[in-house]
Structures are given as structure tokens and as C-alpha cells.
Amino acid sequence: MAELDEVVAAVASSPAIMAKRAIGLVSEVLGASEWIAGPGDDGAAVEVGGTTVIACGEALWPPFVRADPFGAGVAAVLTNVNDVAAMGGVPVGIVDTVVADEATARAALEGMRYASRLYDVPIVGGHLTISDTAPSISAFAVGSARALLSATHVRPGQDLVMAACVEGTMRDDFPFFPSFDERGSDLAGDVRLLPEIADKGLAVAAKDISMAGLVGSLAMLLEWGAFGADVDLAALPRPEGVPLTMWCTCFPCYAFLLTCKPHHTGSCVRAFTSRGLAAARVGGVDGTGTIVLSAGGRSLPAFDLRARGVTGLARPT
């Protein structure tokens, strides 16, 4: 099977993408939302006294917490910092909740401390319950933004840019590509690059590539308007030695999709490459509602947003 076919098949059967559909329950209970103020985007943008505050949260998968509580603690901070950055915000602080036995809780908090120092974001509070029940970790972030990056800003005709750290080693036990050792403290500046890009108007929307992988994350970026996109797989920034299908379905430590007005695309790409990160224009947004992947002179549809969304979150009619 050609790489293109493998990627399309992996997207179609992705449990991570399928799991996102449960989010539609939120709209069933709370009703439709405008997305910017939440729920919908990576974080909610709330105006407080003339300042735009970004608020977001993440619950960690319990089997991951049991298997690697330190890693889960790192992920609790990482996911929130990336979500704030994807909204064009600067992360200000992390609040956590931990329910676990003492050893698991200690390891999880050590992981949070490690990531907090790495990303230069303080842990400002939280809740701890020592219990022998199944471990549970959640974390929440607040940030501030001057210019928002939002999925509601996506429009046909915009360019699609992918930026990533391609230094690292894929985990054997989990589809995660960490770059902590390779980038070190540079990660703090890397995530703060997104608000700089937003402030300069070089991009209008962004989405961090997380558990849903590249195509699933792109589908969530496009879902608000049921837009489509063409993606050239050969143009993707990609680590050496990592198979294309694995790269397209993993959760990289640092990877973002951005949409730009074409005359700003070059400057947006250079903002990342000037820091030693990989970035490229990988396609464009259109009005078809279908994400089409191309490689080796062939193209295949990978996701039809007009047939079915990813999260099912409703917007007002």
C-alpha cells in the first residue's frame, strides 16, 4: 500500500478522532456556542476589564496516568500551554487537580514541576486528594492575548502552514513525539512565538496538533465553517526516520497548523524557521468541506466535514 493510502486508512480508523465525537454531548446539554467565548476553540477568550483572558483545561487519560504519572504531569502542562498559544495567548499560570495514591501524585506533580520550569509557566494553585481509587489528573491554564487566533477566522483562500519541532524520538508505547531534551528551555520561547505572530497579523487562526493527529486537528480547525483544505504530504515538516503515517497520526510535543492570508505566509514561515523550527506552506483552505491529501501525483479525500463533523459542537444558526 502506498503511503498516501496508508495515511488515509489510518485517519479513517483513528480511535483518537472517533473519541472527539463525544464532545458533541456538550452542545446537547449546554446548547450552541459562538466558539470564541467557548466551547469550540482550543481555549475560551473572555474579556476582563479590557484584557482578553484565555482559559482552557485538559483531563489526562487514566491509563496514561497509571502507566507514566510523571509523563502525565508533563502532558498536563504541555497541552494547556499549547492550547493557550494556539489562541494567540501568552500562558500566565497553571492550576491542577490530582486524585491518586501518594506515589502517583508525587510523580505527577514532579512532572508538572519539570514542565512548568521548561515552559516558564508557574503552577499557581490546585487541588490534591490522596486516594487509592483510579488516578485522575486534570490541569487548567490562564493566559492573556492582544490579538486572537481563532478557528472562526478561517476562510477559503487562506494558506495552510504547518510548524513543528522535528527534533526528538517517537515514544514506543504511546503515539507521542517529545522534544523536551532536544529543545530544552527554547520551548518557552517557541510557544510564545504564536502570540507574536498573532500580534503582527501574520496568521489569523491556529490549532495545535494533538491526540487527533494532523488530519484530525486540521478537521477541528476547519469544522466551525465546514471548510475544506488540500494538503501536500510531501511538504510537511517531518522528522527523519519517522514513517509518514505515524507522523500524521501522532501527538508532537510542538506542532501547529496556522492559516494565513497569502501575502503573509512567507513571513509566518520565517518566524518559525528563524528560531530553528521547521515550517512550510503545506496547502490551502477552500470551501469544499473536504480535506484532500496529495502525494506522489495522487490525491485522496481523507475527511468530509459536510458529511460529519469531528466534535459535533453546535454553533448558533
Side-chain angles (χ1 to χ4, degrees):
M1 185 183 294
E3 280 189 319
L4 175 60
D5 301 274
E6 289 182 359
V7 173
V8 170
V11 170
S13 62
S14 168
I17 295 177
M18 293 177 187
K20 295 293 182 182
R21 291 174 181 154
I23 298 174
L25 175 65
V26 175
S27 288
E28 292 177 17
V29 176
L30 301 182
S33 65
E34 295 289 350
W35 284 44
I36 288 182
D41 257 318
D42 275 340
V46 183
E47 295 299 319
V48 181
T51 299
T52 302
V53 174
I54 308 298
C56 57
E58 188 79 19
L60 279 297
W61 193 42
F64 179 34
V65 177
R66 282 194 299 269
D68 184 1
F70 181 91
V74 173
V77 174
L78 158 70
T79 52
N80 278 288
V81 168
N82 282 354
D83 281 348
V84 171
M87 293 293 293
V90 176
V92 175
I94 300 286
V95 176
D96 63 78
T97 63
V98 179
V99 179
D101 62 82
E102 184 173 348
T104 300
R106 182 179 297 277
L109 289 169
E110 288 172 347
M112 291 182 197
R113 179 185 62 190
Y114 168 79
S116 168
R117 292 173 176 174
L118 195 65
Y119 286 97
D120 193 22
V121 184
I123 297 172
V124 296
H127 171 85
L128 171 65
T129 295
I130 299 300
S131 171
D132 291 330
T133 58
S136 173
I137 294 176
S138 296
F140 312 87
V142 291
S144 63
R146 289 190 293 264
L148 280 177
L149 299 173
S150 170
T152 62
H153 298 162
V154 176
R155 296 292 185 275
Q158 293 170 358
D159 282 343
L160 180 66
V161 168
M162 178 181 174
C165 177
V166 295
E167 306 162 82
T169 304
M170 190 74 71
R171 282 185 64 141
D172 295 328
D173 59 341
F174 192 70
F176 180 64
F177 186 83
S179 301
F180 305 121
D181 293 337
E182 291 77 9
R183 288 299 289 178
S185 59
D186 285 342
L187 283 166
D190 294 342
V191 295
R192 287 165 175 79
L193 185 57
L194 275 294
E196 291 180 18
I197 286 171
D199 291 349
K200 294 175 181 177
L202 302 182
V204 298
K207 188 82 176 175
D208 68 308
I209 299 175
S210 55
M211 281 299 298
L214 185 148
V215 177
S217 299
L218 174 58
M220 287 190 285
L221 179 63
L222 302 174
E223 185 175 16
W224 180 82
F227 298 120
D230 63 274
V231 180
D232 179 3
L233 296 181
L236 299 180
R238 175 180 162 193
E240 291 185 11
V242 175
L244 181 61
T245 300
M246 184 177 292
W247 181 238
C248 288
T249 54
C250 80
F251 178 0
C253 164
Y254 184 93
F256 292 87
L257 293 165
L258 304 94
T259 68
C260 313
K261 295 178 180 178
H263 61 282
H264 286 315
T265 301
S267 296
C268 181
V269 168
R270 285 191 293 274
F272 290 101
T273 57
S274 66
R275 282 191 60 84
L277 296 161
R281 180 193 183 277
V282 298
V285 179
D286 57 48
T288 64
T290 302
I291 297 174
V292 176
L293 307 182
S294 300
R298 298 170 58 227
S299 298
L300 288 175
F303 207 104
D304 185 350
L305 280 159
R306 294 190 176 173
R308 185 170 189 177
V310 189
T311 66
L313 286 171
R315 52 180 289 192
T317 56

